[in-house]
Amino acid sequence: PQTNCTNHPTLPQSSDAMAIIVGQLVRRDRVGLLHGIFSFKRCSNFSSPTLNRQAINNLSSLSLVYQTRAKTSLSRREVAALEDDLTKAVGELKDPILLKTLKTLGWLPKRLVVRDDNETLSLTIQLPSLLHPALDDLKSEIQTKINDLLKKDYKLEIDVQTSKPFPIYTSSSDQRTEYLKQLGPGLANVSHCMAVYSCKGGVGKSTLAVNLAYEMARIGGRVGLLDVDIYGPSLPILVKPDDAAVRQSAIGPGMVKPIEHRGVKLLSLGYVSPDSGVPGSGEAGGAAVMRGPMAGRVVTQLLKGTEWGDLDVLILDLPPGTGDVQLAICQDLRLTGAVAVTTPSKLALADAKKGIDMFTSLGVPTLAVVENMSYFVCDGGGKHYPFGKAGLEEDTKNVFRLPISTLTNESNDSGVPLALARPSDATEELFVIEGLAAAVSRELLIAQHGLDSD
């Protein structure tokens, strides 16, 4: 223990106590190590109490790290201390999107656990949703942080859990109670309601809404899709579930259950039995001839009379235009945001801008704009823009352009959305859909925590 290492080039020349510490580290002698730390504390060269405490803490941590690296068995107290230190370090990491620490966000419900083999670490993260575009980056940062602290590559098992969804914009218990009464039991566990709209028909709005829903479900989201276009429901044509029956729910009189298909909960007037008495109900139903007030009641029944269950987002495929249905939706719900669908023609873009203005005036931000049928690629590989290149970049930051695609049309006709079929030659279309889903997920995550996406 008293080996003189004062001539060692990497040690302080005047610190015999430091030499003692290094000697005990080499010998893996914990008692001697503690003696060295105590001697180090008494060194005249380190008389500052603050410096002494810091040095002791650093050396104690060094001891734990060394023992772990050497696979020396740790006492229960040492394991607990190591777990606390690692949990604290992970808690100080910032989420790459929200730029807040995991501790501040409350995403660490349990502390990190060192398994009995001293080779495996287990960590639980609880997120509000799996719709987190940078989740893999966050996991990598956690792994890197732990490896840097322990100077060794440990096997890290991260269990990502999701909390039970609840409607946002309910900062106080009183607000939550009042808003839940307004929503009713069917929407009590839906975090976000988001509209997909267009101001002109025939621009591919429903196609986009369906593919967005299935892509967000593919990346882990709990997603619902409601076809609110009661005058011309498209969902039964675009998605053909094996079991398309709408059944009664036990949570209340007049309530129904949505159809569950490949991870998405679906409902449309086109799925409702034609015997319901609602004009236009059923896939082969006739024209929905009804005035605005009745149309509003039908929309409310579809929306609030359905047991949606736990959803991260309920996507509302609105009818074209800016009429009674759109106003009723915005007044009944606190929409987190909306996605606009248009074509690049000047006429369609002019109407799209009116839609953006209308939703903005109602307090609903447009999260993204999709220019559908924006271009096509000829056999020679050239890209052509039959409707021009005018865009909406100045109106929103997330603009996506989908090509004119026979693959999309074939998927629509087959009743299997492109995001589900995923044909190998649809790389360009799927790339855009994936980018749109990531951008929308990011905006929803930011809104959930009351932050500004800018």
Side-chain angles (χ1 to χ4, degrees):
Q2 302 298 332
T3 302
N4 187 356
C5 295
T6 55
N7 294 323
H8 195 286
T10 62
L11 293 176
Q13 296 299 309
S14 60
S15 179
D16 291 335
M18 180 64 78
I20 294 173
I21 295 170
V22 173
Q24 303 321 313
L25 281 175
V26 173
R27 293 168 177 78
R28 303 181 190 177
D29 184 347
R30 294 187 209 169
V31 177
L33 176 64
L34 293 176
H35 169 70
I37 293 174
F38 181 74
S39 301
F40 181 70
K41 178 180 178 183
R42 294 187 302 171
C43 281
S44 58
N45 292 340
F46 298 90
S47 59
S48 167
T50 302
L51 183 57
N52 289 338
R53 286 195 298 272
Q54 181 180 356
I56 291 171
N57 289 337
N58 291 342
L59 287 168
S60 298
S61 298
L62 177 62
S63 169
L64 287 176
V65 170
Y66 181 85
Q67 293 173 58
T68 306
R69 289 180 62 191
K71 298 185 180 180
T72 307
S73 60
L74 301 177
S75 69
R76 291 182 179 179
R77 180 175 297 180
E78 290 168 335
V79 169
L82 181 60
E83 290 173 344
D84 288 341
D85 289 343
L86 292 176
T87 302
K88 181 179 179 181
V90 171
E92 295 304 316
L93 289 174
K94 289 186 177 182
D95 177 75
I97 292 178
L98 300 175
L99 302 180
K100 289 186 175 183
T101 65
L102 303 189
K103 179 181 178 181
T104 302
L105 293 168
W107 289 1
L108 296 178
K110 304 175 184 177
R111 73 179 186 181
L112 183 145
V113 175
V114 179
R115 295 282 180 83
D116 293 338
D117 60 4
N118 279 347
E119 290 290 324
T120 306
L121 309 177
S122 177
L123 177 67
T124 299
I125 303 176
Q126 189 170 56
L127 304 180
S129 166
L130 293 181
L131 294 176
H132 190 309
L135 181 56
D136 289 339
D137 295 336
L138 178 60
K139 290 180 180 179
S140 297
E141 288 185 20
I142 293 173
Q143 180 75 70
T144 300
K145 182 69 173 180
I146 289 176
N147 290 344
D148 288 346
L149 287 173
L150 299 180
K151 308 302 180 187
K152 181 180 184 296
D153 290 339
Y154 272 77
K155 180 182 178 182
L156 176 62
E157 297 176 351
I158 300 179
D159 179 22
V160 181
Q161 300 178 353
T162 54
S163 55
K164 192 171 185 64
F166 64 90
I168 66 170
Y169 305 126
T170 53
S171 56
S172 69
S173 58
D174 292 340
Q175 286 179 336
R176 177 177 173 79
T177 301
E178 185 63 30
Y179 188 44
L180 289 179
K181 286 182 180 179
Q182 178 184 340
L183 291 177
L187 293 168
N189 295 308
V190 177
S191 290
H192 303 278
C193 291
M194 183 183 71
V196 176
Y197 71 92
S198 67
C199 292
K200 278 196 175 299
V203 298
K205 168 185 56 64
S206 295
T207 299
L208 189 282
V210 166
N211 281 287
L212 177 60
Y214 278 100
E215 179 60 28
M216 294 180 78
R218 190 184 69 86
I219 60 180
R222 297 166 287 189
V223 183
L225 175 61
L226 174 60
D227 183 359
V228 193
D229 192 351
I230 58 175
Y231 295 107
S234 304
L235 195 53
I237 299 173
L238 299 174
V239 182
K240 298 185 183 299
D242 295 332
D243 183 3
V246 177
R247 295 177 171 84
Q248 290 184 341
S249 168
I251 68 171
M255 300 286 291
V256 299
K257 293 182 178 181
I259 299 165
E260 297 193 35
H261 176 65
R262 303 286 294 273
V264 177
K265 297 180 179 180
L266 308 169
L267 192 62
S268 168
L269 187 61
Y271 290 133
V272 176
S273 170
D275 298 329
S276 65
V278 180
S281 58
E283 185 175 357
V289 181
M290 62 184 86
R291 294 185 181 274
M294 184 176 180
R297 289 194 294 270
V298 172
V299 169
T300 300
Q301 179 63 30
L302 289 171
L303 183 62
K304 297 184 177 181
T306 304
E307 182 189 354
W308 292 104
D310 293 349
L311 292 183
D312 297 317
V313 56
L314 175 59
I315 297 175
L316 308 174
D317 178 13
L318 300 184
T322 55
D324 292 336
V325 173
Q326 289 84 349
L327 292 174
I329 290 290
C330 292
Q331 290 168 356
D332 286 347
L333 297 176
R334 297 178 181 178
L335 296 177
T336 303
V339 175
V341 183
T342 182
T343 61
S345 68
K346 290 184 179 180
L347 183 59
L349 289 174
D351 287 341
K353 290 180 180 180
K354 293 177 183 178
I356 293 173
D357 291 341
M358 185 204 78
F359 278 97
T360 301
S361 67
L362 295 172
V364 180
T366 295
L367 307 179
V369 173
V370 178
E371 291 182 6
N372 197 21
M373 298 176 280
S374 180
Y375 61 91
F376 70 90
V377 179
C378 67
D379 293 339
K383 189 177 285 190
H384 305 274
Y385 298 84
F387 301 111
K389 290 186 178 182
L392 287 169
E393 282 83 354
E394 69 275 11
D395 296 276
T396 182
K397 58 183 175 298
N398 295 319
V399 177
F400 297 88
R401 293 177 173 85
L402 275 167
I404 299 172
S405 171
T406 58
L407 295 171
T408 303
N409 186 63
E410 290 168 0
S411 292
N412 289 347
D413 292 344
S414 70
V416 182
L418 198 70
L420 276 181
R422 308 191 75 80
S424 58
D425 47 351
T427 54
E428 196 159 1
E429 294 90 337
L430 292 174
F431 178 78
V432 176
I433 293 170
E434 291 167 3
L436 173 65
V440 169
S441 298
R442 179 181 183 276
E443 299 294 334
L444 295 181
L445 179 67
I446 290 172
Q448 181 127 19
H449 291 82
L451 303 176
D452 189 344
S453 61
D454 293 333

